[in-house]
Amino acid sequence: MVNGARFHGSVTDATGLEDDDLVVETCITRTLPPALTLEHGLQSITQAVEELKFNPPCASSGVLRFQVAVPPSAKALNWFCSQPESSAVFPMFFLSKETISPTCKSLYLNKVRGVFGIGAAISFTNSICIPGGLSSTKRFLSNDSVLMSTYGFLDINFNTDLSSVKHKAGSFYFFIPLIELDEHEDISILAATLAWSDSCLCTFEQAIHSYESVLYQATSHFWPTTERCHSERVRAAIRKLNVVEDNTVQMAYTNGILLGRRDFEAHTMELLDHASEMAYTIQDRANINAVWASLIVEECFRLGLTYFCVAPGSRSSPLALAASAHPLVTCISCFDERSLAFHAIGYARGSQKAAVIITTSGTAVSNLFPAVVEASEDFVPLLVLSADRPPELQDCGANQSINQVNHFGSFIRFFFSLPPPTDQIPARMVLTTLDSAVHWATSSPIGPVHINCPFREPLDDCPQNWKSSCLEGLDTWRSNTEPFTKYIIVQHSYLCNTATRGQMEEVLEKIRRVNKGLLVVGAISAEDEVWAVLLMAKYLQWPVVADILSGIRLRELLSSSPEVEENILFVDYLDHALLSDSVRDLVQCDVIVQIGSRITSNRISQMLEKCFPCSYILVDNHPHRHDPSHFVTHRIQSSTIEFANILMKAQIPHRSRKWHYYLQALNMMVGQEISFHLSVEHSLSEPYIAHVISEALSAESALFIGNSMVIRDADMYGCNWTSDNHSVADMMLKTELPCTGILVAGNRGASGIDGLLSTAIGFAVGCNKRVLCVVGDISFLHDTNGLAILKQRMLRKPMTILVINNRGGAIFSLLPVADRTDPRVLNQYFYTSHNISIHRLCEAHGVKHLEVKTKMELHEALISSQKGDTDCIIEVESSIDSNATFHSYIRKFACRAAEHALGVISKLSPPESMSQGCHCKIQSISYSVYRIQLCAPPTSSALYHDRTVFYREGFILSLTLEDGSIGKQVAPLEISQENLLDVEEQLRFLFHVMKGVTINYFLPMLKSSFSSWIWKTLGIPVCSLFPSVRCGLEMAILNAIAMSHGSSLLNILYPLRERNEEKSENLASIRICALIDSSGTPEEVARIAVDLVEEGFTAIKIKVARRADPVEDAAVIQEVRKKVGCHIDLRVDANRNWTYEQAIKFGFLVKDYNLQYIEEPVQHESDIIRYCEESGLPVALDETIDNCPENPLNMLVKYNHHQIVALGSTILFLHGFLGTNEEWVPIMHAISGSARCISVDLPGHGATKIKNCGDDKAALRSLLSIEIIADLLLKLIEHVTPDEVTLVGYSMGARIALYMALKFSDKIEGAVILSGSPGLEDAVARKIRRAKDDSKARSIVTHGLQLFLNTWYSGGLWKSLRSHPYFNHIVVRRSVHDDLQGLAKVLSGLSPGRQPSLWEDLKHCKVPLMLVVGEKDEKFKRVAQKMWHEIGHDRDDAVSKLHQMVVVPSCGHAVHLENPLPIIRLVRQFMTSLRSVKLQEKGNVRDLLIYNQ
């Protein structure tokens, strides 16, 4: 057993290697669809390898990797421990990922994640790569995927024949396993790697044979998913391997073998920490009590029960002493038996293993009763060992003696009262009793068991003679590590049981014939079952109603594509939608499948009951009747995984999705209404807390929810979340699943509020995650003794406890009793109001405490607590009355939203003739220009003192659907720094990308889902669209949808407006604001204001600060207020035109005229707060927010004047590797009004083919050098135009563009370099890059483009692109190339390792350059910064002044694909600056076209 370290760096120095000696293999990875179980994953890989055998690769060498996502629960350690002691397979290892004080006990205690590897696909030792065996060939592995790791040892000489390790500086032994299971927090990856090389004496056939041998052993000694994990496997493995600890050797792992410097940064991890073999010398026990107690503890350990909760007491001393003395069990204690018992329940929930509770006699046993009830009702395994007085002290008044026989009645699965320890009874009776009890506890129905253990004195280790004859028959037991009695359950296969198969076929037939199906997911306690539910939901494509305890109500969203997201519809806000009577009538299902027994929401339970009669299928792994409404028609006793396996093998047709879209629209509208009111409420409410707790969650987290109001709020208002980091699950599941689940637990067996804190702490120990616990104040106070357990912090990660303190039981305020009961009675007998200081309680127990009163404080506390390494209690202040009021408020608006949604649905029901259901296509889109003369200057711009005629210019947008069209004005808004040219470029781009896209008929009702539609359907970050363009686009779509239904937009959005009462109510509640200018006399402005009020306007905004003296503006305000009265809202807008002194002067004059606010009163942002404080007037911000650095539009303003455009320029667009000229077409369409745009397919790409003139590879490479490509493009330019051109290049195209700009400055006017580089300066780095690219080029020809693309885009450079909704489409487009041989030659010939370094040339650059990178592309941002420094941008010459560097927001390396709109504007502005400078040099400015706003 040795330490492990994360290896960052390379093990080989390539300086002395010649190019012919440096051979690099590229690992090609194929990702298979996610598997239901680990066994299914093995079958999937086996099938893929079998297909490969029938179609073997043609190359003489190569590396292939097959990987599949499997359920996330920890299995690697069990798999490793199941392998045989004698094996021909080398190596085998388990690498634990436990980083916080790992010990041997942690292997037995909870879920330890790690890596299991078996066999070596490739071995590396001292610059030698050995596929399958040792050789002297110098080959290296290049791997761009972050999912593939290499394992091994540094500074040692490893003799594989003798299995000996010798220290030798500079030596190493690394290998890539043939089969590997790598466990992450939210997903596990099963992988198989095949490597072959004829020159290394390992052919492809031999590689297959090695893989099959390893596969046979791995699968023949496999721990099945359905078999419960027991610690005896771990202990037996450590024992049989004769493990020795060696602190001088360190195991390392890294992502592939890299070339270059030899250095690494160690992050210590553990490889199976040392474990001394326990030699239990029973004969040495002091007395017979100690013998029996030791046997009980040891047998518990062998049965997998390694966590002992020990309550103090005298009569239980033998058991407590035996447990504390055992070297491999973990003991925890607490003075409160009730808290300790609930702690044991929490551990069992988290670990899926029973905990052992040891108590003394008397009422100590009775204190366990609430926990035993909870365990019984919620099927939690538990072993109670209660000490007792012997029979002679029963029923005779002996101290601390009660009747403990069948003490817990029907709430336990098994009871046995042992006799007092004696050597007259064979000791094996104790062992068989334990074996039987644990079998009952862990067999369906799982639950608590009780063994009563009477002890006579002595209770300590006082010596007392006893006969060893009682140990007869235990020799075999003492010589091994297995339980005395092994219970074997023979599972009857579903396929072999004719009766069961027939009954299941009936169920499957009902599912096949479903019209409106609903999948209801109740409480799920295991991560693998959450995984199974997600796969099942994807397969069924039914709407999903998920309970808060299901693990998928608060799910982590992945950056999946829109088509993947459409496969699963989560109806998260059905509870509040059911407040509407109309919704309750609408939601009628004919087949309901429920996974898990309990549902938190009462309204959903009532809705399900109302669906009866229907086919109601309940799936749970216990036999109990959980059917309070008595409507279950099919009760399936099965695990979720077993049921999912049967269901997913059946052919289930997908019916009409109209029902699906109805629920989607209803859910989204109600959800958005709830989210809106939660966010706009300034105070910190309890529903808001439930809404944002997901902010504190991550893949490493688990959630424990308390009872009463807390769990109901979480169920109603909880929301899903997105991780800031692109997780492994995000990479593996992007094309398969839209989300992953999270482990959630709660005590819902009896749903009491006792013991919740202790349960949560035990849950943290068992699940081995960072736990967030949310409870109410009464629940917290009910279990304050749990703080004593919290303080012990044994073998668990830090946890956060969020206490919602409303000084009582808030749930009663929402029940009918609150409406009909005197407040004094409510406070005393229902709320149980209190003034107890939670802070003082935490202080007394030495626990960190944070008090939260605002939303901001809550966010900060949640984030800081999750990053800390100590336990933390966050107390949130609340109020019972305000909480009840806000809940009522939310319910009212949610009900209105549901009613409104149904009204819109009725208006937007798609025509029956539409073949695409609820979707329609955009057939065409066009625009025309308008120009209208105004009688006064626009109020949103400054005064034009030199003009007498004013115009409003804009566009009429026409969007045509399959059956109609509508027009909508698109006008530039000066306050957003737009102009006609900006808007027209974006419109041109949109017209190209929008042709043929689909629109959901329900889009008008989904509010902010327009932003989602723009991003997911068009692939455009919403922030990059100009406000006027977005407004026009949305209104055109809305009106087109309304026209297609023969209605108006107003009728669609407000279907109930015909009712005059509601119309009047709505109009009265809306403040309609008029905007007027103050340029006239006070009387004239006041007259205009009065006319507007009479027209129905209830608010007026007046433009001020356009006169020389603010006194004149103040006179206007005073007159307007006098004329319109006090009931009209009066606002003013100064547009930042006043100095601080002028604004103060105005404010003093109008402070008594009830201004609602003054907008942007001062010129300088630094004066805003001072102005508020001195004037006392409310201030509104507009331009200040627009000018915030986070706004991408304002970041682009710093470039050249947007009113000047150059005509007649030519732009040549150059794509990157794997791209084609087609990827530039949308951008070219947008810019075509300003310049002549040309794009070409570079050699080997698209339809361009390279003529093969021979077999000489060296000659081919020379023909495809960057110099030759640049010469070819130069000839093309000379053929197209005699003038200079501007180059726009991306990635490989950017390197070509930069080369041409530096070498052909007389022909290149300027160059826009997108994610480009001048090449590599270091000779060794260039050598390595050449070898890598040559290897990748070979893999294109050998394995085909599709497999190559999967590997290419798994690299870290494409992390941002993988999250783009168009990612799948981009990859598909890049798989269409006519000349794979040519493509491979381009990759090799244009490698950065072969092109000349241009860093020195940059210092003498004569052509203006614009360097553009994405903000998420850290690597190329560093390159661009260095280029920016080298080109001398600060020199005082004309060219240097034109150099620009821009970081484009919301994108990564593929900047022109991820966020194209800023690129359009940047290119046009760059062109304008080039042309303007050139014309100024010639003294000719007449060719400039000036656009006036």
Side-chain angles (χ1 to χ4, degrees), residues 49-298:
V49 174
E50 287 296 319
E51 294 173 359
L52 182 67
K53 287 168 61 178
F54 288 105
N55 186 23
C58 58
S60 61
S61 64
V63 182
L64 279 174
R65 174 182 168 92
F66 299 93
Q67 61 184 20
V68 57
V70 295
S73 67
K75 307 177 187 69
L77 178 58
N78 292 328
W79 200 1
F80 169 76
C81 294
S82 300
Q83 299 308 303
E85 182 175 355
S86 58
S87 170
V89 176
F90 177 86
M92 290 187 296
F93 72 95
F94 170 77
L95 179 66
S96 169
K97 291 189 175 181
E98 191 63 42
T99 58
I100 302 177
S101 302
T103 66
C104 189
K105 284 186 178 182
S106 65
L107 297 176
Y108 304 99
L109 180 64
N110 46 31
K111 300 177 178 180
V112 178
R113 283 179 167 82
V115 181
F116 166 61
I118 180 170
I122 310 176
S123 301
F124 300 86
T125 174
N126 288 26
S127 305
I128 301 173
C129 161
I130 315 103
L134 292 172
S135 174
S136 59
T137 305
K138 297 174 182 177
R139 310 183 76 86
F140 303 91
L141 177 67
S142 172
N143 176 49
D144 294 325
S145 173
V146 298
L147 300 180
M148 184 176 180
S149 295
T150 307
Y151 307 89
F153 300 88
L154 296 167
D155 296 324
I156 66 164
N157 186 3
F158 206 111
N159 190 318
T160 57
D161 295 329
L162 302 177
S163 296
S164 64
V165 178
K166 293 183 179 180
H167 293 274
K168 183 179 179 181
S171 298
F172 60 83
Y173 174 76
F174 278 89
F175 60 92
I176 295 175
L178 268 167
I179 296 177
E180 173 188 358
L181 177 62
D182 188 1
E183 296 173 332
H184 301 266
E185 290 292 344
D186 52 356
I187 195 177
S188 294
I189 301 173
L190 177 67
T193 304
L194 299 175
W196 69 97
S197 174
D198 293 347
S199 62
C200 290
L201 303 179
C202 178
T203 64
F204 175 74
E205 291 75 15
Q206 290 172 320
I208 290 289
H209 176 73
S210 298
Y211 160 76
E212 290 176 338
S213 299
V214 171
L215 177 68
Y216 177 78
Q217 175 174 309
T219 53
S220 299
H221 302 85
F222 183 74
W223 193 273
T225 302
T226 56
E227 188 173 343
R228 290 185 296 273
C229 171
H230 294 307
S231 62
E232 68 265 20
R233 283 294 179 109
V234 178
R235 186 179 177 198
I238 295 177
R239 180 180 181 183
K240 72 187 179 186
L241 294 175
N242 194 22
V243 171
V244 184
E245 181 183 11
D246 187 346
N247 292 321
T248 62
V249 179
Q250 191 172 51
M251 187 175 188
Y253 67 103
T254 183
N255 293 111
I257 295 296
L258 308 179
L259 302 172
R261 298 177 297 108
R262 185 180 183 281
D263 57 356
F264 67 93
E265 176 185 355
H267 297 286
T268 301
M269 307 184 78
E270 289 294 321
L271 175 74
L272 272 182
D273 200 349
H274 68 88
S276 58
E277 177 60 29
M278 183 188 67
Y280 240 143
T281 54
I282 302 296
Q283 292 91 340
D284 296 338
R285 300 297 103 173
N287 52 57
I288 194 63
N289 284 347
V291 171
W292 279 37
S294 298
L295 291 173
I296 290 172
V297 172
E298 172 63 14

Side-chain angles (χ1 to χ4, degrees), residues 1138-1145 1147-1148 1158 1161-1179 1181:
W1138 276 328
T1139 64
Y1140 178 78
E1141 291 73 17
Q1142 290 173 319
I1144 286 293
K1145 187 176 183 181
F1148 176 78
I1158 177 171
V1162 291
Q1163 297 171 347
H1164 301 295
E1165 296 176 13
S1166 57
D1167 290 331
I1168 292 175
I1169 295 178
R1170 186 159 64 107
Y1171 178 80
C1172 290
E1173 294 174 346
E1174 187 167 339
S1175 70
L1177 293 176
V1179 171
L1181 301 181

Side-chain angles (χ1 to χ4, degrees), residues 328-550:
L328 295 178
V329 304
T330 302
C331 296
I332 192 169
S333 65
C334 181
F335 49 80
D336 182 358
E337 289 88 358
R338 186 184 64 172
S339 292
L340 194 67
F342 275 106
H343 178 75
I345 285 181
Y347 172 80
R349 288 193 186 280
S351 66
Q352 307 296 303
K353 298 191 299 183
V356 182
I357 305 173
I358 297 176
T359 70
T360 189
S361 61
T363 57
V365 184
S366 301
N367 281 326
L368 307 181
F369 214 114
V372 169
V373 171
E374 174 64 29
S376 177
E377 293 298 298
D378 213 17
F379 310 99
V380 178
L382 206 63
L383 172 59
V384 176
L385 300 177
S386 61
D388 199 359
R389 262 59 176 170
E392 62 269 21
L393 295 181
Q394 297 290 341
D395 296 325
C396 61
N399 183 46
Q400 203 170 326
S401 174
I402 64 173
N403 184 4
Q404 296 177 191
V405 175
N406 284 317
H407 193 70
F408 303 109
S410 62
F411 291 105
I412 58 171
R413 307 292 188 258
F414 173 90
F415 171 79
F416 191 86
S417 186
L418 289 170
T422 172
D423 54 12
Q424 302 301 311
I425 299 176
R428 57 183 182 273
M429 184 274 296
V430 178
L431 303 180
T432 60
T433 301
L434 260 295
D435 296 338
S436 178
V438 174
H439 173 68
W440 278 97
T442 55
S443 299
S444 183
I446 296 171
V449 294
H450 178 198
I451 297 180
N452 199 47
C453 306
F455 289 104
R456 295 188 175 95
E457 294 185 355
L459 301 175
D460 57 7
D461 285 337
C462 178
Q464 189 178 71
N465 293 332
W466 57 280
K467 297 177 182 180
S468 61
S469 58
C470 66
L471 301 180
E472 290 181 1
L474 295 185
D475 293 343
T476 302
W477 178 84
R478 293 162 66 186
S479 65
N480 61 37
T481 58
E482 297 180 351
F484 187 87
T485 303
K486 291 184 243 181
Y487 281 80
I488 301 171
I489 301 176
V490 179
Q491 297 283 350
H492 293 285
S493 172
Y494 155 74
L495 295 176
C496 298
N497 191 320
T498 306
T500 304
R501 189 168 66 250
Q503 292 171 337
M504 281 302 302
E505 189 57 39
E506 176 189 345
V507 171
L508 294 175
E509 185 59 27
K510 290 186 177 295
I511 293 174
R512 291 189 187 100
R513 298 172 61 183
V514 67
N515 182 31
K516 293 181 179 179
L518 187 68
L519 179 61
V520 180
V521 189
I524 296 179
S525 58
E527 292 174 294
D528 287 6
E529 295 202 338
V530 176
W531 175 269
V533 166
L534 288 173
L535 293 180
M536 189 193 319
K538 176 196 172 187
Y539 185 75
L540 279 178
Q541 295 188 17
W542 289 7
V544 180
V545 176
D547 187 81
I548 186 62
L549 296 179
S550 66

Side-chain angles (χ1 to χ4, degrees), residues 494-745:
Y494 155 74
L495 295 176
C496 298
N497 191 320
T498 306
T500 304
R501 189 168 66 250
Q503 292 171 337
M504 281 302 302
E505 189 57 39
E506 176 189 345
V507 171
L508 294 175
E509 185 59 27
K510 290 186 177 295
I511 293 174
R512 291 189 187 100
R513 298 172 61 183
V514 67
N515 182 31
K516 293 181 179 179
L518 187 68
L519 179 61
V520 180
V521 189
I524 296 179
S525 58
E527 292 174 294
D528 287 6
E529 295 202 338
V530 176
W531 175 269
V533 166
L534 288 173
L535 293 180
M536 189 193 319
K538 176 196 172 187
Y539 185 75
L540 279 178
Q541 295 188 17
W542 289 7
V544 180
V545 176
D547 187 81
I548 186 62
L549 296 179
S550 66
I552 55 177
R553 178 67 175 82
L554 301 181
R555 56 196 173 274
E556 178 187 6
L557 299 181
L558 305 177
S559 57
S560 53
S561 57
E563 56 269 24
V564 175
E565 294 179 5
E566 289 184 1
N567 288 336
I568 307 180
L569 168 63
F570 292 99
V571 191
D572 291 333
Y573 299 100
L574 181 60
D575 177 275
H576 269 44
L578 291 170
L579 289 165
S580 163
D581 295 335
S582 302
V583 172
R584 290 197 293 271
D585 294 334
L586 170 73
V587 183
Q588 291 290 330
C589 313
D590 50 358
V591 177
I592 300 170
V593 175
Q594 179 176 333
I595 308 297
S597 296
R598 286 187 169 87
I599 300 296
T600 301
S601 169
N602 188 47
R603 277 188 287 268
I604 291 178
S605 297
Q606 292 173 349
M607 179 273 294
L608 297 175
E609 183 176 354
K610 191 174 181 180
C611 291
F612 191 79
C614 66
S615 295
Y616 202 106
I617 304 162
L618 177 60
V619 182
D620 212 334
N621 55 7
H622 63 79
H624 287 203
R625 181 180 64 163
H626 279 191
D627 183 18
S629 298
H630 309 289
F631 58 15
V632 172
T633 59
H634 298 79
R635 178 64 168 87
I636 301 175
Q637 185 180 349
S638 162
S639 72
T640 304
I641 297 171
E642 292 168 339
F643 178 74
N645 185 31
I646 295 172
L647 181 66
M648 293 168 63
K649 289 179 179 177
Q651 295 296 322
I652 307 296
H654 297 144
R655 304 290 183 185
S656 170
R657 297 176 66 88
K658 190 173 181 179
W659 157 252
H660 185 283
Y661 290 124
Y662 275 16
L663 288 182
Q664 180 188 35
L666 179 67
N667 180 70
M668 289 188 67
M669 196 158 189
V670 174
Q672 289 170 352
E673 188 75 11
I674 290 174
S675 298
F676 172 76
H677 289 287
L678 291 179
S679 60
V680 298
E681 172 63 27
H682 70 278
S683 62
L684 179 55
S685 64
E686 293 183 28
Y688 180 82
I689 296 170
H691 194 65
V692 301
I693 56 174
S694 56
E695 290 185 2
L697 301 178
S698 67
E700 295 80 25
S701 302
L703 179 67
F704 186 88
I705 294 285
N707 285 324
S708 193
M709 202 64 236
V710 168
I711 192 169
R712 289 170 173 82
D713 277 349
D715 193 56
M716 291 186 293
Y717 305 116
C719 68
N720 41 54
W721 52 283
T722 303
S723 175
D724 293 334
N725 300 320
H726 294 274
S727 64
V728 174
D730 206 55
M731 296 179 61
M732 290 290 295
L733 301 176
K734 177 178 176 59
T735 60
E736 300 292 341
L737 289 174
C739 62
T740 58
I742 189 170
L743 194 60
V744 182

